[in-house]
Amino acid sequence: MTPVRKAVILAAGLGTRMLPATKAVPKELLPIVDKPLIQYAVEECIEAGIDHIVIVLGPGKEAIAEHFAERTRADAYAREKGDAGLIARVSGPARLARFDYAMQEEALGIAHAVACAREFVEGEPFALLFPDDIIVGARSCVAQLADAFATTGGTTIAVQRVPRADIPQYGIVVPDGEGNPVRLRGVVEKPSIEEAPSDLGIVGRYILSDTIFTHIDRTPPGKNGERQITDAFASQLAAGEGVFGLAYEGTRHDTGRPLGYLVANVAVALAREDLAGPLRDRLRPLIAPEAP
Ligand code: UTP
């Protein structure tokens, strides 16, 4: 099986649910504690042995490329100071991987965004990540998917059980029997609770097989003129290709909305030795204020 050596990280969306924070600052650069969201996604790839990252940017989101470059004032300042710790923190992101950038001029959906990265990844399997999903756990979710792909050989999608009430916000998979990874019979984009074939929701991590662009080409634009990646998976299934779901180990936070963003910050801080104790002390009176 061809190993997974490359990843595409999508960062061309409008981030409307986090406005006004995302008016001038790309959503993917909002910090979780002291590191931008997108850097967590890159580090998850590195842990999976992937060292070539393609980031899909939209207009006005060039600051993301600045973050992974070594040409900013902060880099120059760190070098001038000669402080090794500072240099590591400032220039570290640029040294994590090889970075390439693709432009999606209009936010026309996930499948369209993936197609924008085609020239960099065509002809081999690759990981796809939505950086606004942060997955915290003992082992990188992308590494778990890459291991599963080594046995499935087909598009492999990270899934998790979602509360019934949240089903209409997710792509929902139709498993074909039991197992993990499990072979899928279908995928349904944002079904109603009544029509949902399962409670297994798709989260923003995938390994896409090398046939994916053929199927994206066959995917017509749907609602709002957007091309859905789930339609490309349905096309793979219709062509008799295996598509699989992997219930990964880890906790996922949807940082694309305010509550998930806040919880991710607290969860990541509570896992840090330098912050856990003082944060607990500060949170306690806020959560259960003592009577005056
Ligand atoms: P989301 O739907 O969560 O992000 O897409 P969004 O569109 O930026 O957010 P809202 O709904 O307006 O608040 C998941 C990921 O896919 C990227 C986004 O940047 C995000 O990382 N994306 C989405 C694209 O790159 N292009 C698109 O056309 C749509």
Side-chain angles (χ1 to χ4, degrees):
M1 190 53 53
T2 318
V4 182
R5 303 176 309 136
K6 298 179 182 177
V8 172
I9 301 183
L10 299 189
L14 296 168
T16 51
R17 287 167 299 164
M18 290 296 277
L19 282 167
T22 48
K23 186 177 173 195
V25 177
K27 172 171 76 173
E28 297 77 8
L29 288 183
L30 295 179
I32 298 297
V33 185
D34 52 9
K35 212 158 56 176
L37 274 167
I38 194 165
Q39 194 173 327
Y40 289 86
V42 170
E43 288 174 359
E44 209 183 303
C45 294
I46 306 300
E47 272 184 67
I50 293 170
D51 59 4
H52 184 176
I53 310 273
V54 183
I55 301 180
V56 181
L57 299 176
K61 301 190 89 173
E62 297 79 7
I64 293 172
E66 284 291 296
H67 180 73
F68 293 108
E70 252 183 296
R71 52 174 184 251
T72 65
R73 272 176 73 202
D75 289 290
Y77 175 78
R79 271 198 301 274
E80 202 180 292
K81 284 267 165 198
D83 175 335
L86 188 62
I87 293 173
R89 275 198 293 150
V90 177
S91 306
R95 299 175 185 178
L96 285 170
R98 168 182 166 189
F99 292 95
D100 279 305
Y101 297 92
M103 264 314 244
Q104 187 191 26
E105 294 294 343
E106 257 187 286
L108 291 177
I110 303 299
H112 181 265
V114 173
C116 293
R118 185 175 195 145
E119 64 176 296
F120 298 104
V121 290
E122 189 159 29
E124 61 182 300
F126 60 94
L128 172 67
L129 295 87
F130 301 172
D132 48 357
D133 274 344
I134 290 248
I135 301 180
V136 187
R139 184 138 191 268
S140 150
C141 178
V142 175
Q144 295 175 50
L145 283 170
D147 281 355
F149 177 79
T151 57
T152 66
T155 286
T156 305
I157 307 170
V159 296
Q160 66 166 35
R161 295 211 177 278
V162 298
R164 246 175 89 75
D166 294 346
I167 281 175
Q169 298 163 22
Y170 285 85
I172 299 289
V173 301
V174 193
D176 188 4
E178 301 287 319
N180 194 30
V182 64
R183 185 177 283 275
L184 302 181
R185 269 194 289 132
V187 280
V188 189
E189 188 60 35
K190 301 189 173 122
S192 67
I193 295 174
E194 297 71 37
E195 284 164 357
S198 78
D199 63 350
L200 285 175
I202 298 177
V203 307
R205 300 287 185 276
Y206 313 77
I207 305 293
L208 302 184
S209 75
D210 60 357
T211 65
I212 194 71
F213 292 109
T214 308
H215 296 283
I216 289 176
D217 287 345
R218 289 183 194 161
T219 304
K223 255 189 276 173
N224 319 322
E226 291 189 4
R227 284 175 198 271
Q228 306 293 349
I229 196 74
T230 40
D231 289 338
F233 300 153
S235 171
Q236 286 187 315
L237 284 167
E241 293 182 28
V243 177
F244 301 83
L246 178 77
Y248 60 93
E249 283 174 19
T251 305
R252 170 239 183 196
H253 301 285
D254 174 7
T255 66
R257 57 188 75 216
L259 183 61
Y261 178 74
L262 288 169
V263 173
N265 267 287
V266 173
V268 170
L270 287 175
R272 265 192 35 181
E273 242 171 60
D274 58 331
L275 292 173
L279 180 61
R280 266 181 222 282
D281 292 345
R282 298 284 185 97
L283 285 179
R284 219 169 275 125
L286 291 176
I287 291 169
E290 281 167 30

